Structures are given as structure tokens and as C-alpha cells.
Amino acid sequence: MHERKPAMEVVVLANRRVSQGKTFVIDMVRENTKLFSPFTVAARVCRCTSRWDLNMTDIFPHLDYKPKLPQRLDHEIGIIGAGGIVNYAHLPAYKKAGFKVVCITDRDREKAERTAKEHGIGTVCANVSELLSRPEVEIVDIAVYPAEQVGIVEQAAASGKHLLCQKPFADEYSKAVRSVELAERAKVKIAVNQQMRWDAGIRCARLLIDDGWLGAPTYGAIQVHCKTDWSLWPWIYQGKHVEIMFHSIHYIDSLRYLLGDPAYVFTSGSRAPGETTQAETKTLTTWEYKSGLQVLIDVCHTTWHDDPYAIFRFEGTEGVIKGTIGLMYNYPTGRPDTLEFMSKRNPGYWFSARLDSMWIPDAFVGPMASLMRSIESGSEPETSGRDNLRTLQVVFAEYRSMAEKRAVRPEEINA
């Protein structure tokens, strides 16, 4: 009989399965005192009886998914914009990471003062020019409407400040190109806040793909059916673009990060009966790759029933990765993502990872940390402005596909 050692903690993370008349569970065994990492654990399969027969030993992959911090945490940040996303995502994330926010401005002075008081920011600037004139400000975190962003980028780049821009990067592709060119001419770093790349489920999927658990990708999907309260963002609901530009842009960027750039995209957009917006609130999109890989993005913001879902699934020649996007089950509070995967390395056995971080606010550490690390090393941020141009090409290709009822190559979108 196999006896469990007192120094080991057995955590059952996968469902039971029946195989050839026998029921098995997969136990993730962690040493209580010393862990190689939170997710470096030994997996064993045990019969679901009073005996703990050791049938298999395997190594659970190293899923070190949390953002890598810079060498210095005291790069001084000035924030332009004091809206909701700054208050419930940016600033809580920066506080957890230990980043240093020194000043803030907003065209509504009262909002800026309220935000500064709530989050312990020492200085409220009267306007953008005053914030940019402060020599201690090294990084400007821009959180304004997309149409306004390029003007602030021009000012900030001329002031020699590095930039973290809100997504969407711009409301027109040509404006995004101009922002990148302005930063490059000024020799400052520019990144875009596409923070879903650091959401736990997406980051772990990338680590598994890089480690070969999936093999060659053959299928990918993100499907989200939920009820979105657009009153939180009335300016979005009243605009000409809604779902893709302000929501599925996260999925577009994350799928590019995981699977690369598609050759063609085809999108159908619609609205639910009774909606007053003229823009799309539900979309069905397919991507086609030269390799034969196919991708589905299926999003509906008008799910009235009590069964919302937000799932991802990736299939390949060697395995399957699937999970849930926790934020979308109770936005903006959310819950941790879930992740399960299997591979031909261990046929028939599913593994699960216990994920404890949240998209909001934890993933928001990622883009800022990546920008700081790029400043220190002279490299490009992971979500650099130039990389984000390819995300925007897909975004605007999907809108062109909706309008022209055809498959569109992202390269058709140019300045």
C-alpha cells in the first residue's frame, strides 16, 4: 500500500473518470514546505478506493503566469484620466505591484481630486500640459477616449515621456499609425493596455502552447454570452462601433498572442430586438489561417437568461486546452479563471490548474510592468504600439467584413 507522507498535501483538481470499468482521480501533490513554483507539482493517478496505488508519475508544467516585474518599481507615473477603469483597475493594480503614481489630471478637476484622495496620489494637475511639464514624470498612463489619444501622444512624446495608451489605441487606423511614428521619432517607448494577455487563463494557455502540450494548433475559440449594462459606458453605446472595438478587441489581441495573425477574417454583426444603438452588440467571427487553423469568436451582450458563459478552447495535434474567463461571470467583480488541459503525453487524463489572480485588477500590472522592463532593457514592450497596429488591422478588417459581407485580409487595412 502506498502511504501518503505527512509532508505532502494532496489536492484533487480533476474530475473522476471511468476507464475500462475503473474509476480514477488525478491528484496534484504539493510539498507543504518547499515548492519549486506555485504550479510545479507531481501528478499521480490513484484508484478511488481505500488503497492509494501509484499508477503513474508525471510532471505538471511550470505555469508561472503572473507578470514579470521590472528591476525598479519607482519609475514615476503620471495618469491622464480619472474615470472608472482608472479607479477600479489601473490604480488598484499599481498599488498591488508597488508602482509609484505621482500625479493625475482629468478635465473634470473634481473627479481627479476625488481619485487622488481615494488612492493616495500626491498631486492633482490642472491640465495635461502641467502634468507633462513635471520632470519627475517618466511614464504617462493615458486613459481617455480613443479619438482624443493621438493628441495627447503627440504632446507627451514631444516632452520625452514614455507612454502607456488605453485600448482601443485609436478610433481610426491612421491615428494609431501616427501615434507609433510620433513615439519612434521621439525615441520614447509606447505600449497599449491590452491587459487580457496577462489574464491567468490566457497566459497559462500560452505557456502550455510554448511547452508543446497543444502541438500544432488546429482550432481556437472564445465564446462569451452575457448581459452587459451599457449604462456604465453610455458614450460607447451611442457610438458607431461597440462590440468589436470595445470588447472583442481583447479577444482579438489575445488570440493573436496565442495563435498568430490570421490570413482572412469574416464577421457577422447584429443587435437584439429593441436595442437603441446603431452599432453591433453581438458578433460571430471566423478567422482562417494558411495552415488550416480555424478560429471562432462568438460574443453576445444581450443574454437575458441566468446561464451566461465565457469560455475558451484550443485544440491541436497533441492536446486540448480549455477554460473559463472568470471576469465575465460577474463583471466587474468577476472570479478567477479556470483551466483544464490534456495531451498525448498522458492520454485520457485531464489536468487542472488552480488560478488565484483576477483579470481586474491583477492583469493590469502586465502592460505597465512590460513597459517599465522595456525602458530598463531598451527592448520593445510586449504590447507595443507597433504590435497593436496588427490587432487594429484585424479589428477594422472585421468591420469591413461586416459592411461588405465578405472575407477580408487584415493587410487590406492601411493608413
Side-chain angles (χ1 to χ4, degrees):
M1 185 170 101
H2 177 72
E3 295 181 0
R4 287 172 287 177
K5 297 178 182 179
M8 306 295 281
E9 174 190 2
V10 178
V11 184
V12 179
L13 293 180
N15 293 330
R16 297 178 181 179
R17 76 174 188 90
V18 178
S19 177
Q20 297 178 346
K22 298 177 182 179
T23 304
F24 296 91
V25 295
I26 296 176
D27 291 341
M28 303 308 173
V29 185
R30 298 186 300 177
E31 187 176 345
N32 279 332
T33 54
K34 286 187 178 181
L35 289 173
F36 292 104
S37 82
F39 297 103
T40 302
V41 293
R44 67 182 182 181
V45 178
C46 305
R47 286 182 187 165
C48 201
T49 67
S50 59
R51 294 177 59 84
W52 290 79
D53 298 324
L54 189 61
N55 292 344
M56 181 190 74
T57 301
D58 201 349
I59 300 299
F60 194 75
H62 184 83
L63 298 180
D64 186 10
Y65 66 87
K66 295 187 178 179
K68 302 294 187 296
L69 295 178
Q71 295 177 5
R72 289 175 41 219
L73 299 179
D74 60 351
H75 295 273
E76 295 181 276
I77 303 167
I79 297 183
I80 299 174
I85 195 70
V86 167
N87 280 274
Y88 66 73
H90 292 231
L91 288 170
Y94 299 167
K95 182 178 181 180
K96 290 182 73 171
F99 298 156
K100 188 175 181 179
V101 178
V102 295
C103 57
I104 190 169
T105 190
D106 191 282
R107 58 189 176 191
D108 183 336
R109 174 85 185 207
E110 186 177 331
K111 282 174 62 178
E113 290 177 345
R114 187 165 57 246
T115 298
K117 181 178 180 181
E118 182 175 345
H119 295 279
I121 301 171
T123 301
V124 175
C125 297
N127 50 47
V128 171
S129 296
E130 182 184 328
L131 183 144
L132 295 176
S133 71
R134 300 184 69 89
E136 73 273 21
V137 174
E138 183 180 6
I139 297 170
V140 178
D141 185 357
I142 305 173
V144 301
Y145 299 146
E148 300 173 1
Q149 194 148 229
V150 65
I152 296 174
V153 168
E154 183 171 16
Q155 292 178 262
S159 301
K161 311 297 186 184
H162 301 291
L163 295 149
L164 178 62
C165 298
Q166 186 58 281
K167 66 108 241 339
F169 195 12
D171 62 332
E172 299 174 14
Y173 184 71
S174 59
K175 291 181 182 178
V177 171
R178 175 165 168 73
S179 290
V180 171
E181 292 174 345
L182 286 165
E184 290 178 346
R185 283 201 295 270
K187 299 188 184 319
V188 298
K189 302 296 183 182
I190 185 167
V192 181
N193 203 343
Q194 296 277 184
Q195 74 294 135
M196 192 187 185
R197 291 193 188 194
W198 284 271
D199 186 36
I202 297 299
R203 204 71 178 185
C204 286
R206 174 61 184 263
L207 293 170
L208 290 167
I209 292 170
D210 287 349
D211 198 32
W213 283 75
L214 195 65
T218 58
Y219 172 80
I222 292 180
Q223 295 175 274
V224 178
H225 283 225
C226 60
K227 180 66 175 177
T228 298
D229 180 6
W230 294 109
S231 68
L232 296 170
W233 312 279
W235 62 274
I236 293 177
Y237 194 73
Q238 294 161 8
K240 63 179 182 179
H241 299 315
V242 172
E243 201 288 306
I244 296 171
M245 179 70 79
F246 294 97
H247 185 84
S248 277
I249 191 171
H250 286 296
Y251 310 143
I252 291 167
D253 186 74
S254 295
L255 288 163
R256 281 193 56 246
Y257 167 65
L258 294 172
L259 303 172
D261 297 318
Y264 288 91
V265 303
F266 182 85
T267 299
S268 170
S270 186
R271 294 176 293 277
E275 288 199 280
T276 57
T277 182
Q278 297 302 304
E280 79 291 352
T281 59
K282 54 179 184 171
T283 58
L284 283 171
T285 296
T286 57
W287 292 1
E288 181 179 300
Y289 289 73
K290 293 178 181 178
S291 66
L293 167 64
Q294 296 170 304
V295 165
L296 170 68
I297 308 174
D298 169 15
V299 182
C300 178
H301 291 270
T302 57
T303 300
W304 57 267
H305 50 72
D306 62 356
D307 186 31
Y309 58 92
I311 60 176
F312 58 85
R313 184 180 179 93
F314 307 108
E315 300 176 6
T317 55
E318 298 296 317
V320 178
I321 303 167
K322 64 180 181 178
T324 62
I325 304 167
L327 176 64
M328 301 312 301
Y329 286 86
N330 184 26
Y331 186 91
T333 303
R335 67 192 194 195
D337 294 350
T338 63
L339 180 75
E340 296 179 78
F341 55 97
M342 61 84 67
S343 174
K344 290 179 181 178
R345 295 178 183 184
N346 304 111
Y349 298 105
W350 283 89
F351 296 85
S352 297
R354 179 174 289 170
L355 307 175
D356 59 3
S357 65
M358 307 283 285
W359 183 348
I360 295 178
D362 300 307
F364 280 73
V365 173
M368 181 60 81
S370 175
L371 175 59
M372 290 178 176
R373 292 172 69 212
S374 77
I375 293 168
E376 294 173 350
S377 67
S379 61
E380 282 300 289
E382 184 171 312
T383 53
S384 70
R386 187 155 290 282
D387 177 81
N388 200 252
L389 293 180
R390 294 199 296 274
T391 292
L392 285 182
Q393 281 183 311
V394 177
V395 167
F396 288 111
E398 291 188 8
Y399 279 116
R400 183 172 292 182
S401 175
M402 286 171 53
E404 299 180 6
K405 309 296 184 185
R406 66 177 178 92
V408 175
R409 291 181 299 107
E411 290 79 8
E412 294 180 38
I413 307 301
N414 53 62

